[in-house]
Amino acid sequence: MTLDDFLPFMLVDLPGCPDPTVKQALLLSANEFCRESHCWDAVQDPLTLTANVRDYDLEGPSGGRCLLVRDVWMGARALRPTTMQELQLVIPKWRETFTNDPTYYNAAIDRQQISFYPTPDGTSTNQVVIRAVYVPTLSATSLPDFLGDRYLEYVVAGAKARLMATPGQTYSKPDAVAFHRERFDNGIALAKAEMMHDRVQGLVTVRPRQFI
């Protein structure tokens, strides 16, 4: 959905608010919603590892940047996340160690890269598949469709709370800020709960306890 698609749901309660200001608030709201709930996740295209190359850029969908790496698979095997301190303990000579199938990965959020250890030697026939969580960039002109289809009212509420808290404007409504912020926070809690089950509906079962 483009940001223009959200405007009719915003402007009715924000008299006199310029469209660019509304769009900026929408992006900030959507960014916070995705950052806190981890609701925007996707599996990237398979990655072919190159000989002697340890670091690879984390690709994101249009208008999104990687927040964190959730899962990494190589063939049927899941790779294990590691910190550099832990890596030094398990592979003391990791700088000089090479393998056809890496075991560990490190993904520093600020670098927007993922690194594999031991360093790939390029002989593996398996590709790496990465599942990552994304947030909208603040220069995006659109938001993922699922945000509008499933969480529109919450993202809109978050943007309204931001704008109505602005003092001295025709659209300032300090008495309504708490209402919209609570609605936004409730949406984040809902999205978090859904992501705990990968948005798959099902029954929660409890194993009966045997009393002696």
Side-chain angles (χ1 to χ4, degrees):
M1 295 179 65
T2 67
L3 295 180
D4 288 333
D5 294 329
F6 285 81
L7 292 182
F9 303 96
M10 294 285 299
L11 295 177
V12 64
D13 292 326
L14 299 165
C17 189
D19 287 4
T21 303
V22 175
K23 292 178 182 179
Q24 182 184 53
L26 279 167
L27 283 173
L28 289 170
S29 177
N31 185 285
E32 182 180 357
F33 191 91
C34 293
R35 185 175 68 250
E36 295 299 323
S37 68
H38 296 177
C39 66
W40 187 5
D41 71 342
V43 176
Q44 297 185 358
D45 292 336
L47 173 67
T48 299
L49 300 185
T50 304
N52 305 325
V53 177
R54 181 188 303 130
D55 304 323
Y56 298 81
D57 291 336
L58 286 166
E59 302 295 336
S62 176
R65 70 183 297 273
C66 182
L67 176 68
L68 59 90
V69 171
R70 176 166 280 173
D71 298 291
V72 179
W73 300 279
M74 191 169 189
R77 183 169 53 88
L79 273 62
R80 287 184 282 175
T82 184
T83 65
M84 298 309 296
Q85 291 85 352
E86 292 169 340
L87 183 68
Q88 186 67 38
L89 292 175
V90 296
I91 311 178
K93 295 185 177 181
W94 58 266
R95 294 174 182 83
E96 302 92 35
T97 305
F98 299 83
T99 184
N100 62 331
D101 289 314
T103 302
Y104 303 95
Y105 72 88
N106 175 272
I109 297 172
D110 56 336
R111 291 192 298 123
Q112 292 293 292
Q113 283 188 330
I114 185 169
S115 305
F116 299 99
Y117 304 97
T119 303
D121 63 12
T123 62
S124 177
T125 58
N126 292 320
Q127 291 181 305
V128 172
V129 176
I130 300 169
R131 182 189 182 192
V133 174
Y134 303 93
V135 294
T137 65
L138 297 184
S139 60
T141 57
S142 63
L143 295 172
D145 287 345
F146 80 89
L147 273 183
D149 294 338
R150 192 167 187 85
Y151 304 117
L152 182 145
E153 63 179 295
Y154 306 115
V155 174
V156 165
K160 286 181 180 179
R162 288 176 180 274
L163 293 171
M164 291 177 179
T166 307
Q169 302 295 328
T170 57
Y171 47 86
S172 302
K173 297 181 181 179
D175 292 342
V177 172
F179 169 79
H180 290 292
R181 181 68 205 193
E182 182 179 11
R183 199 173 189 186
F184 177 68
D185 291 339
N186 288 341
I188 290 176
L190 171 66
K192 277 185 177 179
E194 291 179 342
M195 289 309 299
M196 288 178 63
H197 304 283
D198 281 343
R199 291 193 290 269
V200 176
Q201 292 185 343
L203 296 175
V204 177
T205 59
V206 178
R207 185 187 298 272
R209 295 177 59 187
Q210 183 177 2
F211 293 92
I212 301 175

